[in-house]
Amino acid sequence: GGNIIWLNIYPNGSGLAYTAIPVGTFPRVAVASAGYTGTAILGGILLMFRRTQRGPRIGLCALGLCLLLSCACFVRNAFGLASLISMGLLFILVGC
């Protein structure tokens, strides 16, 4: 339920997001831990794909599609588009 006011991503991979979050403890905790929680959830999903024979291929294709979808929705600079589109297409090509 909040908004991102601005987002800085630095050359060393770190970043800073200035957000407007509704008042309350849970929304603040959810936003503050989103990077750690999102990483753990995605890692768990990728581990679930490893359990079957075709799972890794399906997971790789799904990851490639997610990269392409995120390019269409969020990325607005040439470097980001070039790198993420090429990685997404590579994942799809290797997985499918």
Side-chain angles (χ1 to χ4, degrees):
N3 293 319
I4 295 177
I5 306 301
W6 50 262
L7 176 68
N8 284 344
I9 304 210
Y10 302 112
N12 66 358
S14 65
L16 177 65
Y18 185 72
T19 60
I21 306 166
V23 177
T25 303
F26 182 72
R28 291 188 184 279
V29 170
V31 170
S33 68
Y36 301 114
T37 306
T39 302
I41 290 171
L42 181 62
I45 291 170
L46 290 174
L47 284 173
M48 286 176 20
F49 278 115
R50 285 285 300 151
R51 297 176 54 131
T52 65
Q53 190 72 11
R54 291 184 303 166
R57 298 185 81 147
I58 294 170
L60 199 58
C61 288
L63 187 60
L65 288 174
C66 287
L67 280 173
L68 295 177
L69 181 64
S70 70
C71 281
C73 294
F74 303 114
V75 180
R76 299 290 179 252
N77 64 37
F79 176 76
L81 286 172
S83 61
L84 291 178
I85 288 174
S86 61
M87 281 182 14
L89 291 175
L90 179 68
F91 287 173
I92 292 170
L93 180 69
V94 169
C96 298

